[in-house]
Amino acid sequence: MNNSHKLLALHKPKGYVVTRSDERGRKTVYDLLPDWAFNDGWMPIGRLDLESKGLLLFTTDGQTGNKLTKPGGCKKVYEIWVRGHVTEAHIAQAKRGVESKHGLLKALVVEKLGMGGAKTKLRIIIDEGKNRHIRRLFGALKDPKFGTPLKVLELKRVSIGSFGLDIESAKWRFLSSEEERRLLNHF
């Protein structure tokens, strides 16, 4: 198999910080990668917060990283569980956007996948990724029954551009040259 020299993918589990080193001694994503990934300067493309899981790409090439993170450049798909009943009005508001101190937070697509008790499962597509974008977006919306903010209980990134997550949790692999080409030629 012809592997990419520019991109590797990690299925980040919950409980790992996306940083090279953590002053609080928490586990970092580099604990899941071979030593050479840290030593050779492989950097995460974007972030997933401590409680989030899913697809995280790494590169040693700054241009590749910029291409995949610039707003409007690359669609990212998430599956989330939200505490509360997400209504059609919530979905419309999430697509219109909510103002925050981080600017306008919005989703391109919000699709209801199912319910489980007082929780709603959604598929979200965004093309930018402000800090804690999805958690803040839904936190700005209120549960109609209780008047409390909706809360994202679980967040998993399942794809970045044309590349879908196909790795077990806590595992990593290089993208193939073909996967890299499809992902980077998407722009």
Side-chain angles (χ1 to χ4, degrees):
M1 182 140 134
N2 199 357
N3 283 336
S4 166
H5 298 290
K6 284 188 188 170
L7 291 164
L8 66 83
L10 171 71
H11 184 162
K12 177 195 169 304
K14 280 173 68 165
Y16 286 81
V17 187
V18 180
T19 185
R20 286 182 66 78
S21 61
D22 185 61
E23 67 285 348
R24 291 192 255 165
R26 296 174 295 185
K27 296 179 288 190
T28 78
V29 290
Y30 289 94
D31 294 328
L32 302 168
L33 296 171
D35 290 343
W36 54 256
F38 184 89
N39 296 334
D40 295 350
W42 286 82
M43 299 300 290
I45 300 172
R47 300 255 182 255
L48 285 172
D49 65 43
L50 182 69
E51 293 303 309
S52 297
K53 58 189 178 181
L55 179 58
L56 190 61
L57 296 176
F58 289 77
T59 188
T60 55
D61 178 57
Q63 277 186 307
T64 299
N66 291 340
K67 195 178 227 189
L68 293 173
T69 54
K70 74 172 194 277
C74 185
K75 290 186 175 136
K76 295 163 191 77
V77 181
Y78 299 80
E79 289 180 358
I80 67 172
W81 279 99
V82 176
R83 182 183 64 211
H85 292 283
V86 176
T87 64
E88 290 307 314
H90 288 132
I91 290 172
Q93 183 64 51
K95 291 199 274 193
R96 271 195 313 276
V98 296
E99 279 298 338
S100 78
K101 66 182 182 200
H102 305 277
L104 185 69
L105 300 173
K106 67 179 186 169
L108 297 175
V109 175
V110 180
E111 181 185 348
K112 198 182 284 192
L113 299 177
M115 299 284 298
K119 299 187 298 189
T120 307
K121 186 174 187 181
L122 302 169
R123 176 177 291 122
I124 310 295
I125 301 176
I126 60 175
D127 65 355
E128 57 183 338
K130 296 182 177 90
N131 187 14
R132 298 177 66 80
H133 188 123
I134 293 172
R135 292 182 190 279
R136 288 192 167 116
L137 171 59
F138 283 90
L141 305 175
K142 302 271 190 246
D143 184 296
K145 195 170 174 184
F146 302 107
T148 53
L150 295 179
K151 180 172 172 62
V152 175
L153 301 172
E154 196 176 299
L155 184 145
K156 180 179 184 180
R157 182 159 50 206
V158 295
S159 73
I160 297 173
S162 61
F163 186 76
L165 183 62
D166 64 353
I167 314 164
E168 288 178 44
S169 183
K171 300 289 187 211
W172 70 274
R173 73 171 179 83
F174 285 106
L175 273 67
S176 71
S177 296
E178 177 59 23
E179 288 166 332
E180 175 191 308
R181 189 189 62 70
R182 275 200 316 268
L183 182 60
L184 297 178
N185 289 343
H186 169 77
F187 301 97

